[in-house]
Each structure stands twice: as structure tokens, then as C-alpha cells.
Amino acid sequence: MSEGVVSATLDADSPGDPDAGLAPGELAAKYGLALSGKRPPLVEYSRQLWSRRHFVLAFATARLTAAYTSARLGQIWQVMTPLLNAAVYYLVFGMLLHTNRGIQNYIAYLCTGIFTFQFTQSAVLAGTRAISGNLGLIRALQFPRACLPLALTIVQLQELVVSMVVLAFIILSTGEPLTLKWLLVLPVLVLQTVFNAGLAMLLARWGSKTTDLSQLMPFVIRTWMYMSGVFWSVQTVGAHLPQAVRTLLNVNPALVFNELMRYALMDSVQASSLTHHIWLLALGWAVVAGVVGYVHFWRAEEEYGRG
């Protein structure tokens, strides 16, 4: 052993050293040190997340701007994508399969369903890659990791807000009047955003461990879309189904938000056609998905970006 090491050892063990004999944990407590990346309590974690709300908004805006920089039409694709989807689905389901039977103003009905469901679809798919797609940022900076799925949900909300301008034009041009019911769009969007954020956080944790989840989710989402009344009326189709199946369809959260958005924007959709207690269902789904997704994500906070 060298003379310098011996001297350092003797100095550390000398009676005059105030830290002599203290265990590493006791030394950390004495000097206020904490484990890097340690998961804070849920309340403290929420406080830290709220303090970084400006970062979340800035990150979301930057991601939205960068998403279309390589495309010649730029952010026009925010509107073109759902419109092209609506055209394809109208050709297949409206003209070929005739699922428009019994639905007044099918074009507005279809477009509203597509725009609304795409908000959830995009948030879920983005959520699966929220951690695995940002490992460099996670390993370089210390911040609540929930910022990432929340920011990506806000990106999809910003895209929807732009698309809603086009949707409003479509609805008005097909003969629907502008009424005070349109104000109901705001609470519907708030509830759906909370629901989407909860799903995004839930899938962000799963996607951080199973990277193949991002490959599987498009098939799951497509199946969910076919069961959510995007192309067909649950009242018309449900009349030929067993009661248990009709109940499952009516409580489907994607269908709940689709129906509420149609009710808000389309005068031809009457309250009598909606599922009983549909606003309570929407509130329940938002609370359950938001709370469960947030807590589930927080419990693995220490694991993100490691391994």
C-alpha cells in the first residue's frame, strides 16, 4: 500500500474526523444527499411535474413543428391525413358496404367519428414510444418522466384543434346548423384528453419494457376502431345483437367520446339516441384511465432509461 493511501486511511479513521465510523447511509443523511433517480412520493412527484408544465408545452410544440418539417406540404398533413382517411372509409363503408343506412348526414357522422377516434389512436401509439423513443433525453436530464407521454398527448390535442376547424367546415357545409351545443365540445375534449393521457402513460410503461408493443398496437387500435361506431350506428347495429354485447358496445370509451362529439356538433344527433348516463361514463373513463395510468407510470419511475 502506498504512503498516500495509508495516510488517507489514517486520516479518515482518526479520532478528530467528525465522520469517522459513519455508514454510507448515515453520511448521506448528514449531508442531505439523495439517491440519483430515486422515485419521489406521489404528491412530491406531482408537484415536480406541475413545476415543469412549461417544459411540457414547449416540448410538445417543438415536436409538432418538427414532425412535418421533412414533408413538402408541412403541417397541412395535420388536416389532410384525417380527410384522406374519411374519403377512403366513406368509399368502403358508405358506398360499398352501405353502413350509412339509417344515419342522417353520414358524411358529417363519419368525419366526426374519424377525427375524434384519431385523437385517441395517435395518443396511444405515441405513448407506446414515449420512453423507448427518448432514451437520450431521459439519460441526459433529470425530470419527471411523465412529462414525455403528457407532452405527446398534448401534441395530438394540438393537431386535433387544427383539424377541428376543417371538421367544423365539413359539418356546416353538409347542412348542420351552428348551435349552442357546440360549446359541449370543450368538456368532451377535456375528458377525452385526460383519458388519452392516462392510456398514454399506461402504455409508455409497458412500451419501455416491451419494445415490440409499438408494432402490435396498430392492430389492436384498428380492431378497437371497428368496434367503436366510427363507421356505423350503434343503435342500428345493436338492435340485432344480444343485450350483453350491446352493453359492452355502449360502455366502450371510444364510442362514448364519438357519440358525445357527434351530439355536440350535429343537430341531427338527438339526446334520445345516446347511451343512458353517457356523461357519467365519459367522466368515469377519464378518471379511471387518468388515475390508473398516472400511478402505474409513477411506480416504475426509477426504471426508465436503465438497462
Side-chain angles (χ1 to χ4, degrees):
M1 182 179 294
S2 66
E3 181 179 351
V5 173
V6 172
S7 176
T9 304
L10 291 175
D11 289 343
D13 293 335
S14 63
D17 185 356
D19 297 333
L22 293 179
E26 295 172 328
L27 282 171
K30 178 178 178 180
Y31 292 102
L33 302 178
L35 180 65
S36 176
K38 181 180 179 180
R39 183 186 70 194
L42 186 58
V43 174
E44 174 61 19
Y45 185 77
S46 301
R47 188 195 65 77
Q48 293 178 11
L49 185 62
W50 174 251
S51 69
R52 288 166 174 80
R53 61 191 181 278
H54 302 297
F55 163 75
V56 173
L57 292 174
F59 181 78
T61 303
R63 287 294 295 264
L64 180 62
T65 303
Y68 299 98
T69 53
S70 60
R72 289 190 176 183
L73 296 180
Q75 292 183 318
I76 294 177
W77 283 109
Q78 293 178 233
V79 176
M80 290 296 296
T81 299
L83 283 178
L84 291 173
N85 285 335
V88 171
Y89 293 141
Y90 178 75
L91 173 64
V92 175
F93 294 95
M95 300 182 67
L96 298 181
L97 299 181
H98 301 291
T99 59
N100 58 337
R101 292 174 179 173
I103 300 177
Q104 297 184 48
N105 196 354
Y106 184 69
I107 293 178
Y109 185 94
L110 175 65
C111 289
T112 304
I114 290 174
F115 279 62
T116 304
F117 185 82
Q118 184 168 313
F119 178 29
T120 296
Q121 170 183 306
S122 301
V124 169
L125 293 178
T128 60
R129 299 184 294 270
I131 300 300
S132 59
N134 293 283
L135 289 178
L137 182 63
I138 290 171
R139 291 167 178 169
L141 300 175
Q142 180 62 38
F143 61 93
R145 308 315 187 195
C147 290
L148 295 174
L150 288 177
L152 293 176
T153 302
I154 292 175
V155 169
Q156 308 310 323
L157 177 61
Q158 291 173 333
E159 289 194 353
L160 177 65
V161 169
V162 175
S163 300
M164 289 291 286
V165 176
V166 178
L167 178 61
F169 174 78
I170 294 173
I171 291 174
L172 292 174
S173 64
T174 55
E176 297 288 345
L178 177 62
T179 67
L180 288 176
K181 281 202 312 178
W182 283 40
L183 295 176
L184 294 175
V185 168
L186 294 178
V188 174
L189 282 182
V190 169
L191 293 174
Q192 189 179 7
T193 300
V194 174
F195 173 79
N196 291 352
L199 278 188
M201 287 186 284
L202 191 72
L203 288 165
R205 176 175 175 178
W206 297 350
S208 68
K209 296 298 181 183
T210 309
T211 55
D212 291 337
L213 185 64
S214 61
Q215 306 300 322
L216 176 64
M217 283 308 298
F219 301 99
V220 176
I221 290 291
R222 192 174 299 120
T223 303
W224 189 16
M225 179 175 63
Y226 293 146
M227 299 174 61
S228 301
V230 174
F231 321 108
W232 46 269
S233 167
V234 66
Q235 288 77 27
T236 303
V237 175
H240 308 287
L241 298 175
Q243 179 61 40
V245 177
R246 289 202 303 271
T247 301
L248 288 176
L249 288 176
N250 286 329
V251 300
N252 176 359
L255 185 141
V256 168
F257 293 119
N258 282 345
E259 291 294 286
L260 283 176
M261 192 65 75
R262 286 168 176 149
Y263 173 68
L265 295 174
M266 299 176 61
D267 196 54
S268 57
V269 176
Q270 302 297 316
S272 58
S273 66
L274 301 179
T275 304
H276 293 303
H277 310 299
I278 190 169
W279 284 103
L280 289 178
L281 281 173
L283 177 61
W285 277 117
V287 171
V288 170
V291 172
V292 172
Y294 182 58
V295 174
H296 186 67
F297 184 91
W298 161 77
R299 290 178 65 87
E301 178 74 9
E302 297 173 326
E303 302 172 11
Y304 302 130
R306 298 186 179 182

